[in-house]
Amino acid sequence: MSQSYYQRQKAKRLAQQQAASTFNVEDIKTYTAKSLQFDDSLFIPMKTGKEIDTIISTEGGIMPASAMMIAGGPGSGKTTVTLDMLAGLTKQGYRCLFVSGEMDQIGFFKYSRRMPHIQNVETLFLRDYALRVKDVLEHVFDLGYDIICVDSIAEVIDLYKDGYSVTEGMAEHWYLQLLDKHKKGYNSRGVHTSFISIQQQTKGGDFVGSNRLKHMMDSCAHIKKNKETGERSMWFSKNRDCGFDYTLHFDIDSEGVRYHFGPVEGEEHDE
């Protein structure tokens, strides 16, 4: 009797773990910045053409081979901000993908009717592949996108845990390794993919998932909606690509996201 799909996957994971446990001192390498060489295209930002570019990187825009996390509470505007960026970049010719773990096709269609400009964003609906999320994401990421947004990390981690019977730590490790692989250009097109990973926060502001996810990202943005005024704001608590410390306030309407700068000095935020 032939092995079932899940038995084959279990055997594959075991082989990978055994290979990873093999230690060879000759594999250890150290570097200096002078010894590293990369193509100049790696330092050309992908510009959305909106004010958000100025707080994403010093160069103004999303840098290739970068991993950004956007965290915020329910209804704060995380998904809308991200889709607005992807819509603008797609219009410019960049190959973008939105991976939705929270909406299905009907929900996304309703969403896009309120914001027609996002209708050009290529989208993968993970609900269709709930028990095979690892295989699906590894295949799709290998197609070589310029920018991929995952909404949300928590949903992907949960689907991975349920589909492959692994711990949360193992699921997070797989996700981070997947991002690292494609940031380095190990895909069919040799593209140094950039990632925007949306992470949930509870209504009390608690971060969903381990802090390891946040620490392993190149930048961490926070989006907050004022409960009393309804005003939305965005800022970075960590950003290796930008030396500026700005806060952006924004409004959302059928035309998209409209930004305006807020105070910098003396402003405090809760992560």
Side-chain angles (χ1 to χ4, degrees), residues 4-112:
S4 69
Y5 168 79
Y6 295 106
Q7 288 174 322
R8 292 196 302 272
Q9 288 299 118
K10 184 177 181 180
K12 182 180 177 181
R13 289 198 302 273
L14 180 61
Q16 290 173 337
Q17 292 169 2
Q18 290 174 340
S21 65
T22 303
F23 179 75
N24 187 343
V25 294
E26 295 181 358
D27 293 334
I28 302 174
K29 297 180 180 179
T30 60
Y31 301 89
T32 65
K34 290 183 178 180
S35 68
L36 298 172
Q37 292 184 341
F38 298 99
D39 190 85
D40 289 343
S41 63
L42 201 61
F43 309 100
I44 300 175
M46 295 173 278
K47 297 178 180 290
T48 70
K50 293 191 174 184
E51 291 85 351
I52 192 172
D53 289 341
T54 62
I55 68 169
I56 291 177
S57 72
T58 302
E59 291 77 6
I62 300 174
M63 301 302 295
S66 61
M68 179 197 313
M69 176 183 287
I70 297 181
S76 57
K78 305 181 299 297
T79 300
T80 303
V81 165
T82 303
L83 281 169
D84 187 74
M85 286 194 286
L86 294 185
L89 291 165
T90 298
K91 189 175 181 179
Q92 296 178 51
Y94 291 105
R95 194 176 185 191
C96 304
L97 178 69
F98 181 70
V99 179
S100 178
E102 302 186 0
M103 285 189 284
D104 59 14
Q105 288 89 333
I106 296 175
F108 186 75
F109 182 76
K110 292 178 180 178
Y111 196 95
S112 66

Side-chain angles (χ1 to χ4, degrees), residues 5-249:
Y5 168 79
Y6 295 106
Q7 288 174 322
R8 292 196 302 272
Q9 288 299 118
K10 184 177 181 180
K12 182 180 177 181
R13 289 198 302 273
L14 180 61
Q16 290 173 337
Q17 292 169 2
Q18 290 174 340
S21 65
T22 303
F23 179 75
N24 187 343
V25 294
E26 295 181 358
D27 293 334
I28 302 174
K29 297 180 180 179
T30 60
Y31 301 89
T32 65
K34 290 183 178 180
S35 68
L36 298 172
Q37 292 184 341
F38 298 99
D39 190 85
D40 289 343
S41 63
L42 201 61
F43 309 100
I44 300 175
M46 295 173 278
K47 297 178 180 290
T48 70
K50 293 191 174 184
E51 291 85 351
I52 192 172
D53 289 341
T54 62
I55 68 169
I56 291 177
S57 72
T58 302
E59 291 77 6
I62 300 174
M63 301 302 295
S66 61
M68 179 197 313
M69 176 183 287
I70 297 181
S76 57
K78 305 181 299 297
T79 300
T80 303
V81 165
T82 303
L83 281 169
D84 187 74
M85 286 194 286
L86 294 185
L89 291 165
T90 298
K91 189 175 181 179
Q92 296 178 51
Y94 291 105
R95 194 176 185 191
C96 304
L97 178 69
F98 181 70
V99 179
S100 178
E102 302 186 0
M103 285 189 284
D104 59 14
Q105 288 89 333
I106 296 175
F108 186 75
F109 182 76
K110 292 178 180 178
Y111 196 95
S112 66
R113 290 187 69 183
R114 298 195 302 272
M115 300 182 65
H117 74 293
I118 71 169
Q119 293 178 2
N120 65 338
V121 177
E122 186 177 349
T123 303
L124 173 71
F125 299 98
L126 281 186
R127 289 190 186 184
D128 294 342
Y129 317 99
L131 297 179
R132 302 191 63 177
V133 62
K134 177 179 182 292
D135 301 295
V136 170
L137 288 185
E138 289 180 353
H139 169 74
V140 173
F141 284 17
D142 189 59
L143 297 177
Y145 288 88
D146 295 306
I147 302 175
I148 296 176
C149 170
V150 176
D151 185 15
S152 63
I153 304 176
E155 292 296 332
V156 171
I157 296 301
D158 285 344
L159 288 172
Y160 185 91
K161 286 165 53 183
D162 294 341
Y164 300 92
S165 301
V166 298
T167 65
E168 183 165 344
M170 292 176 66
E172 289 182 351
H173 175 76
W174 163 78
Y175 182 77
L176 291 170
Q177 289 293 107
L178 185 62
L179 267 58
D180 187 64
K181 172 184 176 181
H182 292 283
K183 283 175 58 182
K184 293 177 178 177
Y186 297 132
N187 50 60
S188 62
R189 295 178 60 231
V191 175
H192 292 275
T193 304
S194 293
F195 291 91
I196 303 173
S197 297
I198 294 177
Q199 186 61 310
Q200 303 166 356
Q201 285 181 324
T202 65
K203 291 183 179 180
D206 295 325
F207 184 80
V208 177
S210 73
N211 282 326
R212 182 168 182 258
L213 290 170
K214 181 167 59 175
H215 296 326
M216 296 300 288
M217 298 289 169
D218 297 308
S219 61
C220 184
H222 302 267
I223 291 181
K224 185 177 182 179
K225 181 178 180 181
N226 188 296
K227 295 179 181 179
E228 297 181 358
T229 65
E231 185 179 64
R232 292 180 167 94
S233 57
M234 178 179 182
W235 69 96
F236 282 85
S237 62
K238 163 189 175 181
N239 194 347
R240 295 172 183 154
D241 286 330
C242 188
F244 304 130
D245 186 16
Y246 292 137
T247 296
L248 276 181
H249 294 275

